[in-house]
């Protein structure tokens, strides 16, 4: 199964990607996570990506494509993968198609998570991340304690708000999504690959809707 999950920041695609990982045993490939990891490790890609990420802008295609090309070459993608947060513009979508065509493994489907704008702002403002394991919690839907801490790590480290989840950056990210990423829905619809999931619902309900649209 080779799928792309699309949706505005805060639409829940990362959470749903984790559900699919548990169910199908294929990896989640999040370019946001890969870029944050590159920044934390101070790699050449990371050093170049940081300013764009802090500003809520897209990182240069060349960097993102380099990271994706490396990741798709890993052995664990043989049975499939879930792309989360990639592609984010038409050039990336075309480059992905070329990469997958060259190995004879095209995409099976592209899922678009639709969520109301006000709900997105509420979700992102409540989002807190564990700096150790990277897991994401939400103070509105999954109270992680006071002070907020990670329930997955043994020593319960404190959760932090990602810098690009701060309100001014969120507005910028939503604008970038509307202008550059959302139009990909038409691109994939024209190829018969698009599935739409209305994601204004509790997590389990969204998972059920997601599994329904992924049925062959
Ligand atoms: P995310 O965790 O998916 O919201 O991504 C966080 C940030 O990483 C984005 O705001 C961008 O700056 C950058 N980023 C992630 N994926 C991409 C991509 N496919 N293309 C360009 N920039 C990306």
């Amino acid at each position: 199964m080779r799928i792309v999950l699309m949706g505005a920041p805060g639409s829940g695609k990362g959470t749903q990607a984790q559900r699919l990982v548990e169910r199908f045993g294929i990896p989640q490939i999040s370019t946001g996570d890969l870029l944050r990891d590159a920044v934390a490790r101070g790699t050449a890609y990371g050093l170049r990506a940081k300013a764009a990420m802090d500003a809520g802008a897209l990182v240069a295609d060349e960097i993102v494509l380099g990271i994706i090309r490396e990741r798709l070459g890993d052995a664990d993608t043989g049975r499939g993968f879930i792309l989360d947060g990639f592609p984010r513009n038409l050039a990336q979508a075309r480059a992905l198609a070329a990469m997958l065509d060259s190995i004879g493994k095209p995409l099976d489907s592209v899922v678009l998570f639709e969520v109301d704008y006000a709900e997105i702002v509420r979700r992102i403002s409540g989002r807190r991340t564990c700096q150790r394991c990277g897991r994401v919690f939400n103070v509105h839907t999954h109270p992680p304690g006071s002070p907020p801490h990670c329930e997955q790590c043994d020593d319960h480290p404190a959760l932090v708000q990602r810098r690009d989840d701060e309100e001014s950056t969120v507005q910028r990210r939503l604008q970038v999504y509307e202008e550059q990423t959302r139009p990909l829905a038409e691109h994939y619809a024209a190829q018969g690959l698009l599935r739409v999931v209305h994601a204004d619902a509790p997590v389990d309900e969204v998972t059920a809707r997601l599994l329904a649209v992924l049925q062959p």
Side-chain angles (χ1 to χ4, degrees):
M1 178 187 275
R2 292 177 296 275
I3 59 177
V4 167
L5 302 186
M6 276 183 64
S11 61
K13 57 188 184 326
T15 304
Q16 296 301 329
Q18 286 172 8
R19 295 282 177 101
L20 295 181
V21 169
E22 286 157 21
R23 189 168 179 113
F24 297 111
I26 53 176
Q28 167 191 12
I29 301 180
S30 154
T31 40
D33 286 348
L34 292 171
L35 287 164
R36 277 183 288 279
D37 182 61
V39 171
R41 287 188 294 120
T43 67
Y45 280 149
L47 293 174
R48 290 175 59 198
K50 188 174 185 315
M53 293 176 77
D54 284 347
L58 290 187
V59 171
D61 291 343
E62 173 212 341
I63 296 176
V64 177
L65 290 170
I67 285 179
I68 276 285
R69 197 168 282 118
E70 277 175 14
R71 183 64 185 87
L72 287 178
D74 290 345
D76 66 342
T77 63
R79 288 180 46 246
F81 48 77
I82 303 148
L83 290 173
D84 162 11
F86 174 89
R88 278 241 217 328
N89 61 27
L90 198 54
Q92 291 181 9
R94 291 199 170 123
L96 174 66
M99 256 181 246
L100 296 178
D101 282 349
S102 73
I103 53 171
K105 292 184 167 179
L107 288 174
D108 296 312
S109 42
V110 175
V111 179
L112 172 66
F113 290 99
E114 291 274 41
V115 183
D116 176 71
Y117 187 85
E119 173 63 13
I120 282 178
V121 173
R122 193 184 79 93
R123 284 186 189 180
I124 298 188
S125 67
R127 188 149 76 176
R128 300 290 183 276
T129 308
C130 173
Q131 278 183 305
R132 186 145 322 140
C133 70
R135 203 166 271 264
V136 178
F137 298 84
N138 197 295
V139 293
H140 301 309
T141 55
H142 183 140
S146 175
H149 60 269
C150 179
E151 296 165 341
Q152 303 294 323
C153 293
D154 290 341
D155 55 343
H156 302 309
L159 301 179
V160 296
Q161 185 173 40
R162 259 167 52 184
R163 192 151 162 208
D164 62 350
D165 279 346
E166 288 166 16
E167 185 145 356
S168 57
T169 316
V170 168
Q171 300 295 343
R172 173 80 186 122
R173 289 167 66 204
L174 287 172
Q175 187 189 353
V176 168
Y177 174 76
E178 283 302 323
E179 289 173 5
Q180 302 196 47
T181 309
R182 183 74 177 64
L184 287 182
E186 278 77 58
H187 171 77
Y188 285 122
Q191 298 174 28
L193 291 174
L194 190 73
R195 316 278 179 266
V196 178
V197 167
H198 293 281
D200 279 320
V203 176
D204 289 345
E205 171 61 25
V206 177
T207 304
R209 293 178 189 176
L210 171 61
L211 292 173
V213 302
L214 289 177
Q215 296 290 331

